Amino acid sequence: MPDTMFFSLLLNIGLLVLIATLLTKIPIVRSMLLYDKNSVGCTVTLSAIFGLVSIISTYTGVREQGAIVNTRVIGVLAAGLLGGPWVGMGAALIGGLHRYFFDIGGFTALSCALSTLMEGLAGCIFSRRFKMGKIRGTGIFLITAIVEMGQMAIILLISRPFQAAMQLVRVIAFPMIIMNALGMIVFLGTFNMVFMEEDSQFAEKMRLALGIVEKSLPHLRKGLYSKADVEAAAEIIYRSTSCAAILITDTQKILAMKSDAGLCALKGDSILAPILASLHDRKPTIFDHAEKEDPFYPILKNHMIVAAPMIEMDHLIGSLTMVVKKHWHSSQSDLSFASELARLFSTQLELSYLEYQKKLRRKAEFKALQSQVNPHFLYNALNTISYVSRENTDRARELLRSLSTYYRQTLENDQYMLNLHTELYHISSYLDLEKARFEEKLCVEIDVEEDLNCMVPAFILQPLVENAIRYGADQIGNRLVSIHAHTGSGWVEIAVSDHGTGFPQEVLTRLYAGERYGGVGLENVHKRLMSIYGQDKGLHIQSSENGSKVFFLIPEAISESRYIDELAVTTWQKNNGMEEPS
């Protein structure tokens, strides 16, 4: 007889494992168990489900000496551990009442009903520790074994006659304690195994999606505007997956397509139009069935189409469409994969767009600062010419022509960065005007390494030279200005020096504090340098009674790349039909 009990209990455990597997396939049950939802509806639903499991265990039990040898404890105890106190007590109440009325007036009806409530209470007590992962296989075995011993004790306390109860316990105690304890481990392990498998599949899909995005990253930086880059991204997805075809579209047409032979029909309007139309609700869509007269039928006979929208800045910009071969199992994973990959692509396109806007803003800020310098220079140049015109009108006319030539070069040159030697050429034109004003009292020295070929922000030196000439006179009125440019330790130091009386301390304090002090030139140069190279890369000023040195440092490694970076912005604008900020 014990062998029969063991076999019966083993069959019951197998049935419960099957039930557990089916429960994990029900989305609402899986969601409630995974995310620990505590609403009244969820509590009632789970209580009913686990209560039904305990009822099934009662029906499939084996009668023995007026009692029913069963696995009811598994459903009730699992309800408390997995669902929490309310679910555990709800399932225990359902299972206990059913057990009482199933064999009302029976030898063990009351004691088994009460023990079912006790088992549910035990699940409630240990629920929190179980969900925190503090109770593993051994703990589950011991808890189940202890509550089953409690059931035997209740039978001895309540069931009468006592001798019959004692005889029953001797027969059923060992099989029920051991098999139900092992069955509980297997039952809960089934839930855990299915959830772990689901997590593993999701992690693998995400790993694949992230790998594809990483490989596609260089091609996504230009958005969907570069045909070659979009085709390269489609090729990466096609080679990385088992898809029969990959299409990347905008809202009107196919931008890139990679496919197996025989799927050229995807390019037809009869196929593309419904795919694009499905994007307007901004949800991924599966096309998996079509009638014979439908244009989709030749493709959907052996394949299915998964279309996921790509959204940038809350605007629909296109789709990532995958064509996969049909399988006997669910296509939900393909839908999720396409959706997540499209979302990752959308995020990267948004970041690319934001980076582009950041560059445009920096360029606009630079032009705003530069526009303040040029009028300042014009004002001083006209003052110089006005002084000369009082004594030599012919010379004044020559200077006006020089000024017009200088401004023509300035206005025609809209480059963000200039070669240092080009910048010095502009300075020489400016110095012609200043030398006309100060004549032999102005001396300018230029000391630049011959092989130095770095890029500097356009018109960055002229305000410094102008300031040195204006305020750099010594005690007898002579102005000696030096322009130096030298490399060292990965930096290019560019300096303008004079032999004047130095800067007032208030000017330096206000300049470094970002406050207006009445000047324009130095302040704008300082801000421009910081906007390009960083907050610690503005002007550095060494000042004393015997003169001043104003200098700044440009990292050699990025001076050229900064220039190329801005050229890339301009090129992207032209390719995409975008205009620069004015």
Short mmCIF file of all heavy atoms in Angstrom, two decimals, residues 229-270:
data_model
loop_
_atom_site.label_atom_id
_atom_site.label_comp_id
_atom_site.label_asym_id
_atom_site.label_seq_id
_atom_site.Cartn_x
_atom_site.Cartn_y
_atom_site.Cartn_z
N ASP A 229 24.86 55.02 -45.65
CA ASP A 229 24.87 54.65 -44.23
C ASP A 229 23.63 53.84 -43.86
O ASP A 229 23.71 52.90 -43.07
CB ASP A 229 24.97 55.90 -43.36
CG ASP A 229 26.36 56.49 -43.36
OD1 ASP A 229 27.31 55.77 -43.06
OD2 ASP A 229 26.50 57.67 -43.68
N VAL A 230 22.48 54.20 -44.40
CA VAL A 230 21.25 53.44 -44.11
C VAL A 230 21.37 52.03 -44.68
O VAL A 230 20.98 51.05 -44.04
CB VAL A 230 20.02 54.17 -44.70
CG1 VAL A 230 18.77 53.32 -44.50
CG2 VAL A 230 19.84 55.52 -44.03
N GLU A 231 21.94 51.90 -45.87
CA GLU A 231 22.14 50.57 -46.46
C GLU A 231 23.12 49.75 -45.63
O GLU A 231 22.95 48.54 -45.46
CB GLU A 231 22.64 50.71 -47.90
CG GLU A 231 21.57 51.21 -48.86
CD GLU A 231 22.09 51.35 -50.28
OE1 GLU A 231 23.33 51.32 -50.45
OE2 GLU A 231 21.27 51.48 -51.21
N ALA A 232 24.15 50.41 -45.10
CA ALA A 232 25.11 49.69 -44.26
C ALA A 232 24.44 49.19 -42.98
O ALA A 232 24.70 48.07 -42.52
CB ALA A 232 26.29 50.61 -43.93
N ALA A 233 23.56 50.01 -42.39
CA ALA A 233 22.85 49.59 -41.18
C ALA A 233 21.93 48.41 -41.48
O ALA A 233 21.85 47.45 -40.69
CB ALA A 233 22.04 50.76 -40.61
N ALA A 234 21.24 48.45 -42.62
CA ALA A 234 20.37 47.33 -43.01
C ALA A 234 21.18 46.06 -43.23
O ALA A 234 20.75 44.96 -42.85
CB ALA A 234 19.60 47.69 -44.28
N GLU A 235 22.37 46.19 -43.81
CA GLU A 235 23.24 45.04 -44.03
C GLU A 235 23.67 44.42 -42.70
O GLU A 235 23.71 43.19 -42.55
CB GLU A 235 24.47 45.48 -44.83
CG GLU A 235 25.48 44.37 -45.10
CD GLU A 235 25.00 43.38 -46.14
OE1 GLU A 235 24.12 43.74 -46.96
OE2 GLU A 235 25.50 42.23 -46.15
N ILE A 236 23.97 45.26 -41.71
CA ILE A 236 24.38 44.76 -40.40
C ILE A 236 23.25 43.97 -39.75
O ILE A 236 23.47 42.87 -39.21
CB ILE A 236 24.81 45.94 -39.50
CG1 ILE A 236 26.13 46.54 -40.01
CG2 ILE A 236 24.96 45.50 -38.05
CD1 ILE A 236 26.50 47.84 -39.34
N ILE A 237 22.03 44.48 -39.80
CA ILE A 237 20.89 43.77 -39.21
C ILE A 237 20.66 42.45 -39.94
O ILE A 237 20.44 41.41 -39.31
CB ILE A 237 19.62 44.64 -39.27
CG1 ILE A 237 19.84 45.96 -38.55
CG2 ILE A 237 18.44 43.90 -38.66
CD1 ILE A 237 18.70 46.94 -38.70
N TYR A 238 20.72 42.49 -41.26
CA TYR A 238 20.47 41.29 -42.06
C TYR A 238 21.50 40.20 -41.75
O TYR A 238 21.14 39.02 -41.61
CB TYR A 238 20.51 41.68 -43.54
CG TYR A 238 20.27 40.52 -44.50
CD1 TYR A 238 19.02 39.92 -44.58
CD2 TYR A 238 21.29 40.05 -45.30
CE1 TYR A 238 18.80 38.86 -45.45
CE2 TYR A 238 21.08 38.99 -46.18
CZ TYR A 238 19.83 38.40 -46.24
OH TYR A 238 19.62 37.36 -47.10
N ARG A 239 22.76 40.58 -41.62
CA ARG A 239 23.82 39.60 -41.36
C ARG A 239 23.79 39.11 -39.91
O ARG A 239 24.27 38.00 -39.62
CB ARG A 239 25.19 40.22 -41.64
CG ARG A 239 25.40 40.62 -43.10
CD ARG A 239 25.33 39.42 -44.01
NE ARG A 239 25.53 39.79 -45.41
CZ ARG A 239 25.32 38.97 -46.44
NH1 ARG A 239 24.88 37.73 -46.21
NH2 ARG A 239 25.50 39.38 -47.67
N SER A 240 23.24 39.89 -39.01
CA SER A 240 23.26 39.54 -37.58
C SER A 240 22.05 38.72 -37.15
O SER A 240 22.02 38.22 -36.02
CB SER A 240 23.35 40.81 -36.73
OG SER A 240 24.50 41.56 -37.04
N THR A 241 21.03 38.62 -37.99
CA THR A 241 19.81 37.91 -37.64
C THR A 241 19.51 36.84 -38.68
O THR A 241 20.20 36.73 -39.70
CB THR A 241 18.62 38.88 -37.54
OG1 THR A 241 18.38 39.46 -38.84
CG2 THR A 241 18.90 40.00 -36.55
N SER A 242 18.48 36.07 -38.41
CA SER A 242 18.04 35.05 -39.37
C SER A 242 16.87 35.53 -40.21
O SER A 242 16.12 34.72 -40.76
CB SER A 242 17.63 33.78 -38.60
OG SER A 242 16.60 34.08 -37.68
N CYS A 243 16.72 36.83 -40.32
CA CYS A 243 15.61 37.39 -41.09
C CYS A 243 15.80 37.11 -42.58
O CYS A 243 16.93 37.13 -43.10
CB CYS A 243 15.51 38.89 -40.87
SG CYS A 243 15.09 39.33 -39.18
N ALA A 244 14.67 36.91 -43.26
CA ALA A 244 14.72 36.72 -44.72
C ALA A 244 14.88 38.05 -45.43
O ALA A 244 15.37 38.08 -46.57
CB ALA A 244 13.46 36.01 -45.19
N ALA A 245 14.47 39.13 -44.79
CA ALA A 245 14.61 40.46 -45.41
C ALA A 245 14.56 41.53 -44.33
O ALA A 245 13.92 41.36 -43.29
CB ALA A 245 13.52 40.71 -46.44
N ILE A 246 15.27 42.61 -44.58
CA ILE A 246 15.27 43.78 -43.71
C ILE A 246 14.99 45.01 -44.57
O ILE A 246 15.63 45.21 -45.60
CB ILE A 246 16.63 43.96 -43.00
CG1 ILE A 246 16.86 42.84 -42.00
CG2 ILE A 246 16.69 45.31 -42.29
CD1 ILE A 246 15.93 42.85 -40.81
N LEU A 247 14.02 45.82 -44.14
CA LEU A 247 13.71 47.06 -44.84
C LEU A 247 13.79 48.21 -43.85
O LEU A 247 13.25 48.12 -42.74
CB LEU A 247 12.31 47.03 -45.45
CG LEU A 247 12.04 46.14 -46.66
CD1 LEU A 247 11.82 44.70 -46.23
CD2 LEU A 247 10.84 46.64 -47.43
N ILE A 248 14.45 49.27 -44.24
CA ILE A 248 14.43 50.52 -43.48
C ILE A 248 13.75 51.55 -44.36
O ILE A 248 14.17 51.79 -45.50
CB ILE A 248 15.84 50.98 -43.09
CG1 ILE A 248 16.51 49.95 -42.18
CG2 ILE A 248 15.79 52.33 -42.37
CD1 ILE A 248 17.93 50.30 -41.78
N THR A 249 12.68 52.14 -43.87
CA THR A 249 11.90 53.07 -44.67
C THR A 249 11.77 54.41 -43.95
O THR A 249 11.98 54.50 -42.73
CB THR A 249 10.48 52.52 -44.93
OG1 THR A 249 9.70 52.67 -43.74
CG2 THR A 249 10.51 51.06 -45.34
N ASP A 250 11.45 55.44 -44.72
CA ASP A 250 10.94 56.65 -44.10
C ASP A 250 9.42 56.55 -44.16
O ASP A 250 8.88 55.45 -44.26
CB ASP A 250 11.49 57.91 -44.77
CG ASP A 250 11.18 57.98 -46.27
OD1 ASP A 250 10.29 57.22 -46.73
OD2 ASP A 250 11.81 58.77 -46.98
N THR A 251 8.71 57.64 -44.13
CA THR A 251 7.26 57.56 -44.12
C THR A 251 6.67 57.45 -45.52
O THR A 251 5.44 57.38 -45.66
CB THR A 251 6.67 58.81 -43.43
OG1 THR A 251 7.15 59.98 -44.09
CG2 THR A 251 7.06 58.84 -41.96
N GLN A 252 7.54 57.37 -46.54
CA GLN A 252 7.02 57.33 -47.91
C GLN A 252 7.65 56.25 -48.78
O GLN A 252 6.99 55.74 -49.70
CB GLN A 252 7.23 58.70 -48.59
CG GLN A 252 6.46 59.83 -47.91
CD GLN A 252 6.70 61.16 -48.60
OE1 GLN A 252 7.71 61.35 -49.29
NE2 GLN A 252 5.78 62.10 -48.40
N LYS A 253 8.88 55.88 -48.51
CA LYS A 253 9.57 54.98 -49.43
C LYS A 253 10.58 54.13 -48.70
O LYS A 253 10.91 54.38 -47.53
CB LYS A 253 10.27 55.79 -50.53
CG LYS A 253 11.34 56.73 -50.02
CD LYS A 253 11.95 57.53 -51.15
CE LYS A 253 13.06 58.44 -50.66
NZ LYS A 253 12.61 59.42 -49.68
N ILE A 254 11.10 53.12 -49.41
CA ILE A 254 12.16 52.28 -48.87
C ILE A 254 13.50 52.99 -49.03
O ILE A 254 13.86 53.44 -50.12
CB ILE A 254 12.19 50.92 -49.62
CG1 ILE A 254 10.90 50.14 -49.35
CG2 ILE A 254 13.38 50.10 -49.15
CD1 ILE A 254 10.81 48.85 -50.15
N LEU A 255 14.22 53.10 -47.92
CA LEU A 255 15.55 53.72 -47.96
C LEU A 255 16.65 52.68 -48.18
O LEU A 255 17.66 52.97 -48.82
CB LEU A 255 15.82 54.47 -46.65
CG LEU A 255 14.83 55.60 -46.30
CD1 LEU A 255 15.17 56.19 -44.94
CD2 LEU A 255 14.84 56.69 -47.37
N ALA A 256 16.45 51.48 -47.64
CA ALA A 256 17.44 50.41 -47.80
C ALA A 256 16.73 49.08 -47.63
O ALA A 256 15.81 48.95 -46.82
CB ALA A 256 18.57 50.56 -46.79
N MET A 257 17.20 48.07 -48.40
CA MET A 257 16.59 46.74 -48.31
C MET A 257 17.65 45.69 -48.55
O MET A 257 18.43 45.79 -49.50
CB MET A 257 15.46 46.61 -49.34
CG MET A 257 14.88 45.20 -49.42
SD MET A 257 13.52 45.11 -50.61
CE MET A 257 13.29 43.32 -50.70
N LYS A 258 17.68 44.69 -47.67
CA LYS A 258 18.54 43.53 -47.83
C LYS A 258 17.65 42.30 -47.69
O LYS A 258 16.90 42.18 -46.71
CB LYS A 258 19.65 43.50 -46.78
CG LYS A 258 20.59 44.69 -46.83
CD LYS A 258 21.40 44.71 -48.11
CE LYS A 258 22.31 45.93 -48.15
NZ LYS A 258 23.10 45.99 -49.41
N SER A 259 17.72 41.37 -48.66
CA SER A 259 16.77 40.25 -48.62
C SER A 259 17.34 39.02 -49.30
O SER A 259 18.31 39.09 -50.07
CB SER A 259 15.46 40.65 -49.29
OG SER A 259 15.66 40.86 -50.68
N ASP A 260 16.69 37.89 -48.99
CA ASP A 260 16.97 36.66 -49.72
C ASP A 260 16.41 36.77 -51.13
O ASP A 260 15.60 37.65 -51.43
CB ASP A 260 16.32 35.46 -49.00
CG ASP A 260 16.87 35.25 -47.61
OD1 ASP A 260 17.96 35.79 -47.32
OD2 ASP A 260 16.23 34.55 -46.82
N ALA A 261 16.87 35.86 -51.99
CA ALA A 261 16.33 35.83 -53.34
C ALA A 261 14.85 35.47 -53.30
O ALA A 261 14.40 34.69 -52.47
CB ALA A 261 17.10 34.81 -54.18
N GLY A 262 14.09 36.07 -54.18
CA GLY A 262 12.67 35.76 -54.27
C GLY A 262 11.77 36.67 -53.48
O GLY A 262 10.55 36.46 -53.47
N LEU A 263 12.33 37.68 -52.79
CA LEU A 263 11.51 38.60 -52.01
C LEU A 263 11.52 40.01 -52.60
O LEU A 263 11.31 40.99 -51.89
CB LEU A 263 11.98 38.64 -50.56
CG LEU A 263 11.71 37.38 -49.74
CD1 LEU A 263 12.32 37.50 -48.36
CD2 LEU A 263 10.22 37.09 -49.65
N CYS A 264 11.78 40.10 -53.88
CA CYS A 264 11.81 41.41 -54.54
C CYS A 264 10.44 42.07 -54.55
O CYS A 264 10.33 43.29 -54.73
CB CYS A 264 12.33 41.28 -55.97
SG CYS A 264 14.04 40.71 -56.06
N ALA A 265 9.38 41.27 -54.37
CA ALA A 265 8.02 41.83 -54.38
C ALA A 265 7.81 42.83 -53.24
O ALA A 265 6.86 43.62 -53.28
CB ALA A 265 7.00 40.70 -54.27
N LEU A 266 8.67 42.81 -52.24
CA LEU A 266 8.54 43.75 -51.14
C LEU A 266 8.67 45.20 -51.59
O LEU A 266 8.20 46.12 -50.91
CB LEU A 266 9.60 43.44 -50.08
CG LEU A 266 9.36 42.19 -49.23
CD1 LEU A 266 10.62 41.84 -48.47
CD2 LEU A 266 8.20 42.39 -48.27
N LYS A 267 9.34 45.40 -52.71
CA LYS A 267 9.56 46.77 -53.19
C LYS A 267 8.32 47.35 -53.86
O LYS A 267 8.27 48.54 -54.15
CB LYS A 267 10.73 46.80 -54.17
CG LYS A 267 12.08 46.50 -53.52
CD LYS A 267 13.20 46.64 -54.52
CE LYS A 267 14.56 46.40 -53.85
NZ LYS A 267 15.69 46.55 -54.80
N GLY A 268 7.32 46.49 -54.14
CA GLY A 268 6.13 46.98 -54.82
C GLY A 268 5.25 47.83 -53.93
O GLY A 268 5.19 47.64 -52.71
N ASP A 269 4.54 48.78 -54.53
CA ASP A 269 3.66 49.67 -53.77
C ASP A 269 2.53 48.91 -53.09
O ASP A 269 2.06 49.31 -52.02
CB ASP A 269 3.08 50.75 -54.69
CG ASP A 269 4.13 51.74 -55.16
OD1 ASP A 269 5.17 51.84 -54.48
OD2 ASP A 269 3.93 52.39 -56.20
N SER A 270 2.08 47.82 -53.70
CA SER A 270 0.98 47.05 -53.11
C SER A 270 1.38 46.41 -51.78
O SER A 270 0.53 46.11 -50.95
CB SER A 270 0.52 45.96 -54.08
OG SER A 270 1.60 45.08 -54.37
#
